Amino acid sequence: MSETTILLDHGSGGLASQQLIGELFLKYLDSPILRGLEDSAVIDNQPGKLAFTTDSYVVDPIFFPGGDIGKLAVHGTINDLAMRGARPLCLSLGLILEEGLPLADLERIIISISEAANDCGVPIVTGDTKVVPRGKADKIFINTSGIGIVPENVCLSSKQAATGDAVILSGTMGDHGITIMTRRAGISLQGDLQSDTMALHRLVAGLLDQFPGRIHVLRDPTRGGVATSLNEIAASSGRSIVLDEGLLPVRPEVRAACEILGLEALYLANEGKCLAVVDQGSAADIIAALHRMPEGRDAAIIGTVVDGTAGRVLINTPIGGSRVVTPLHGEPLPRIC
Amino acid sequence: MSETTILLDHGSGGLASQQLIGELFLKYLDSPILRGLEDSAVIDNQPGKLAFTTDSYVVDPIFFPGGDIGKLAVHGTINDLAMRGARPLCLSLGLILEEGLPLADLERIIISISEAANDCGVPIVTGDTKVVPRGKADKIFINTSGIGIVPENVCLSSKQAATGDAVILSGTMGDHGITIMTRRAGISLQGDLQSDTMALHRLVAGLLDQFPGRIHVLRDPTRGGVATSLNEIAASSGRSIVLDEGLLPVRPEVRAACEILGLEALYLANEGKCLAVVDQGSAADIIAALHRMPEGRDAAIIGTVVDGTAGRVLINTPIGGSRVVTPLHGEPLPRIC
């Protein structure tokens, strides 16, 4: 294309749209299904229930240490499918572009989406692009929706957290949130802060395969962080959750940044971690299995499901006290994902 | 809720998000699946291939004669599924809201989505809401993605347009496009211009049921209009299409508005119409069947598929001439859908 930025015409549905699709999207995302450019993709079905999810990504900045908005959009939707035990089957890609977006930035994002989708083995099968005038959006917003297949014997839900279950976090807390926050604030900190954006479908498949019936709940603690996701699990299951503050995995550089900025890692967004509520008797084996997986090497048991006030999350502090962990209240920084 | 406008906090994933979901979204869109508020919806599968589609809606204005952005988002995605012969199964709803959007406007849109989804018998099963700061989006952008089931014996594709096939348009051209354009331009014209936004899945199911194997291609001519969609069909099938200008159905008030504004109805967006490329021998019966359906009462045969230059669309004019109809080139007005 001769242009160097996105024009309104690229969203017209006419010749310029076709050129953008042909010269940029199909160049990197090509597949027999996508190439058909039909009104919808038609794909082979598989036995099992269907999992379906959608997420829009509006993160600012669009490029950040450890990833970018494109990679985040692929991983995030795959993770939402995986949290129900689904094998991700395919993704859709909906782009809202601001007039004037440099085509080089769009190409970099499309390459990143292509690489992430290929790494995950989950193709983009259908898409849509809209362009809005300068000042009516901020560079690029991405929606990814996804379909997955839930094997017949798998049934994961927040309702299933049972008294006595162990609560596992698959890795360190707050990496994504603190990375975006320090970038946006223009703060330069010592240490290597970077987003944890990562797909978890292989970790989930491994756990479900090795521990059938032992995994009761999976949630990925994105916006609102571990604190908010645990509150949701406690509310859905009508139970309490007790955490041990000393067991929470946090990287030293994230802990340091939180102290400087006055933030709690429990409330920061994660983009490559999951909470697993599991059978207490299998918890040690599950942790050992997680430690053998690249996505779970920092996994830790962080708490227990108990009878008690429905929906309450408590944390025991190292000095012997205990306090209630509420869901996130107030927005520390918008556009975290 | 005590607020009257959308706050950044409504997109935090925390308490304010939960309040918005509980007091607004679930109030109107409630279903057992949505109420679970899990990371993805799990739904029963059905025999057949899967159709999957996505569309983002950025139309300006968000309310217009005949509909609004919410209704458009439900109908548009259902229609994209229907164009492959799929029975729509469920929809996702991804909202990007601008800080400051009046909650009354959001409620009106959610009610409209609820009514449209109920009328169509296609539930919203999963959703996501993001909020961006004032000036970083324009009021509301909506993504709807959808899953449908394609019966085993159905195979519709633009590639399947065959020499001799009749080209049918299911109703009048340009109603949506001209309505948005005149609204945006602040032009008040005589006559009752309104969007044709409408779901076509029942029309499609009726045709496939009554005329098995006779319907070769279905496309809904949205952005870029009938002209662009026919060019795509001609290109995909490697054939030419010849239209008869005198047969093109256009409402008199749309024709008048086009003349005043110097526009061609062939290039205007439609949101409740489909093009059908069908077996010539069945065309008259198909038209008769369409005329009995509320969605197809203005249906007309508008042309024929012929051998000739692959991808070319020609139109014969009433005075005996003929000209090439190119795809849309240039953007007459952005944000038409």
Side-chain angles (χ1 to χ4, degrees):
Chain A
M1 287 176 286
S2 52
E3 306 82 19
T4 58
T5 62
I6 284 292
L7 311 175
L8 285 173
D9 199 11
H10 285 121
S12 66
L15 276 177
S17 299
Q18 288 167 16
Q19 201 176 21
L20 187 68
I21 292 168
E23 296 180 23
L24 186 54
F25 300 152
L26 287 183
K27 178 174 175 187
Y28 296 108
L29 301 171
D30 195 19
S31 73
I33 293 173
L34 198 62
R35 203 181 312 141
L37 302 177
E38 304 272 0
D39 287 325
S40 55
V42 173
I43 49 183
D44 287 333
N45 204 343
Q46 293 181 21
K49 293 204 173 203
L50 295 173
F52 186 30
T53 192
T54 192
D55 246 329
S56 298
Y57 297 84
V58 299
V59 64
D60 172 34
I62 55 176
F63 302 106
F64 47 80
D68 57 68
I69 190 172
K71 194 186 272 197
L72 202 63
V74 170
H75 293 162
T77 291
I78 286 176
N79 289 348
D80 279 343
L81 294 171
M83 294 305 112
R84 302 302 301 277
R87 288 190 312 266
L89 193 62
C90 57
L91 299 177
S92 65
L93 178 65
L95 303 176
I96 298 175
L97 308 178
E98 183 189 10
E99 177 190 18
L101 175 72
L103 271 169
D105 285 354
L106 180 58
E107 183 168 27
R108 191 175 153 196
I109 292 166
I110 297 296
I111 290 172
S112 177
I113 288 172
S114 164
E115 288 174 351
N118 282 338
D119 286 348
C120 293
V122 184
I124 311 283
V125 296
T126 187
D128 174 60
T129 304
K130 295 292 191 304
V131 179
V132 298
R134 212 177 284 266
K136 298 297 183 186
D138 192 11
K139 300 181 195 73
I140 178 170
F141 299 149
I142 300 182
N143 178 284
T144 43
S145 300
I147 303 179
I149 300 288
V150 185
E152 286 297 353
N153 57 339
V154 171
C155 181
L156 301 175
S157 156
S158 289
K159 291 177 197 152
Q160 309 211 45
T163 302
D165 280 355
V167 178
I168 289 173
L169 180 58
S170 69
T172 56
M173 282 194 310
D175 300 74
H176 179 77
I178 203 75
T179 303
I180 301 297
M181 285 191 174
T182 52
R183 265 290 135 145
R184 287 265 288 285
I187 299 169
S188 193
L189 295 167
Q190 293 207 316
D192 181 25
L193 291 180
Q194 64 172 31
S195 169
D196 60 346
T197 181
M198 183 164 54
L200 299 172
H201 60 311
R202 294 190 177 107
L203 174 150
V204 170
L207 287 185
L208 293 175
D209 187 48
Q210 291 174 61
F211 303 97
R214 304 299 180 172
I215 316 291
H216 302 159
V217 183
L218 294 174
R219 289 295 285 231
D220 61 335
T222 57
R223 276 184 296 175
V226 167
T228 305
S229 291
L230 288 177
N231 268 276
E232 289 166 5
I233 295 170
S236 288
S237 61
R239 289 184 165 74
S240 286
I241 292 173
V242 180
L243 302 178
D244 187 331
E245 191 166 23
L247 299 178
L248 292 169
V250 186
R251 277 184 216 289
E253 56 268 35
V254 172
R255 194 182 299 276
C258 282
E259 277 168 20
I260 291 168
L261 296 170
L263 296 167
E264 267 200 276
L266 266 174
Y267 290 96
L268 295 179
N270 310 280
E271 295 291 342
K273 303 293 156 45
C274 68
L275 289 159
V277 179
V278 309
D279 183 69
Q280 185 67 251
S282 307
D285 290 342
I286 291 171
I287 286 288
L290 283 167
H291 287 171
R292 287 190 297 269
M293 301 179 188
E295 305 94 333
R297 56 171 192 265
D298 298 318
I301 297 174
I302 63 170
T304 314
V305 178
V306 298
D307 282 333
T309 310
R312 193 161 70 164
V313 180
L314 287 167
I315 192 162
N316 292 327
T317 61
I319 54 167
S322 125
R323 62 186 168 86
V324 172
V325 177
T326 58
L328 178 65
H329 184 54
E331 172 55 278
L333 197 77
R335 301 179 63 191
I336 206 77
C337 61
Chain B
M1 287 174 287
S2 52
E3 306 84 18
T4 59
T5 62
I6 284 292
L7 311 174
L8 285 173
D9 200 11
H10 285 123
S12 67
L15 276 178
S17 299
Q18 288 167 17
Q19 201 176 21
L20 187 68
I21 291 167
E23 295 180 25
L24 186 55
F25 300 151
L26 288 184
K27 179 173 174 188
Y28 297 108
L29 302 172
D30 195 21
S31 73
I33 293 174
L34 199 61
R35 204 181 312 140
L37 300 177
E38 304 272 0
D39 287 325
S40 54
V42 174
I43 49 182
D44 288 332
N45 204 344
Q46 293 182 20
K49 293 204 173 202
L50 296 173
F52 186 29
T53 193
T54 191
D55 246 327
S56 298
Y57 296 84
V58 298
V59 65
D60 171 35
I62 56 177
F63 301 105
F64 47 80
D68 57 67
I69 189 171
K71 194 185 273 197
L72 202 63
V74 171
H75 292 162
T77 291
I78 286 176
N79 289 348
D80 279 343
L81 294 171
M83 294 305 112
R84 301 301 301 278
R87 288 190 311 266
L89 194 62
C90 58
L91 299 177
S92 66
L93 179 65
L95 303 176
I96 298 175
L97 308 178
E98 184 189 11
E99 178 190 15
L101 175 73
L103 271 168
D105 284 354
L106 180 59
E107 183 167 29
R108 193 174 152 197
I109 292 166
I110 297 295
I111 291 172
S112 176
I113 288 171
S114 165
E115 288 173 352
N118 283 338
D119 287 348
C120 294
V122 184
I124 310 284
V125 297
T126 188
D128 173 61
T129 304
K130 295 293 191 304
V131 179
V132 298
R134 213 177 283 266
K136 300 297 185 187
D138 192 10
K139 301 180 195 73
I140 178 170
F141 299 148
I142 300 182
N143 178 285
T144 43
S145 301
I147 302 180
I149 301 286
V150 186
E152 287 296 354
N153 57 339
V154 170
C155 181
L156 301 175
S157 157
S158 290
K159 290 178 196 149
Q160 308 210 48
T163 301
D165 279 355
V167 179
I168 288 173
L169 179 60
S170 70
T172 55
M173 282 195 311
D175 299 72
H176 179 78
I178 203 76
T179 302
I180 300 297
M181 284 190 175
T182 52
R183 267 288 136 145
R184 286 267 289 285
I187 300 169
S188 194
L189 296 167
Q190 291 207 317
D192 180 26
L193 291 180
Q194 64 171 30
S195 170
D196 59 346
T197 182
M198 181 165 55
L200 298 172
H201 59 312
R202 294 189 177 109
L203 175 150
V204 170
L207 287 186
L208 294 175
D209 188 48
Q210 292 174 61
F211 303 97
R214 304 300 180 172
I215 316 291
H216 301 159
V217 183
L218 293 174
R219 290 294 286 231
D220 61 335
T222 57
R223 276 183 297 174
V226 167
T228 305
S229 291
L230 288 178
N231 268 274
E232 289 167 4
I233 295 170
S236 287
S237 61
R239 289 185 165 71
S240 287
I241 291 174
V242 180
L243 301 178
D244 186 332
E245 192 166 25
L247 299 179
L248 292 169
V250 185
R251 278 185 216 288
E253 56 268 36
V254 172
R255 194 183 299 276
C258 282
E259 277 168 19
I260 291 166
L261 296 169
L263 296 167
E264 267 199 276
L266 266 174
Y267 290 96
L268 295 179
N270 309 279
E271 295 291 342
K273 302 293 156 48
C274 68
L275 288 159
V277 179
V278 308
D279 183 69
Q280 185 67 250
S282 306
D285 290 343
I286 291 171
I287 286 288
L290 284 166
H291 287 170
R292 288 191 295 270
M293 301 178 188
E295 304 95 332
R297 57 172 192 264
D298 298 319
I301 297 174
I302 62 169
T304 314
V305 178
V306 298
D307 282 333
T309 309
R312 194 161 69 166
V313 179
L314 287 168
I315 192 162
N316 293 327
T317 61
I319 52 166
S322 125
R323 61 186 170 86
V324 172
V325 177
T326 59
L328 179 64
H329 184 53
E331 172 56 277
L333 196 78
R335 301 180 62 191
I336 206 78
C337 63

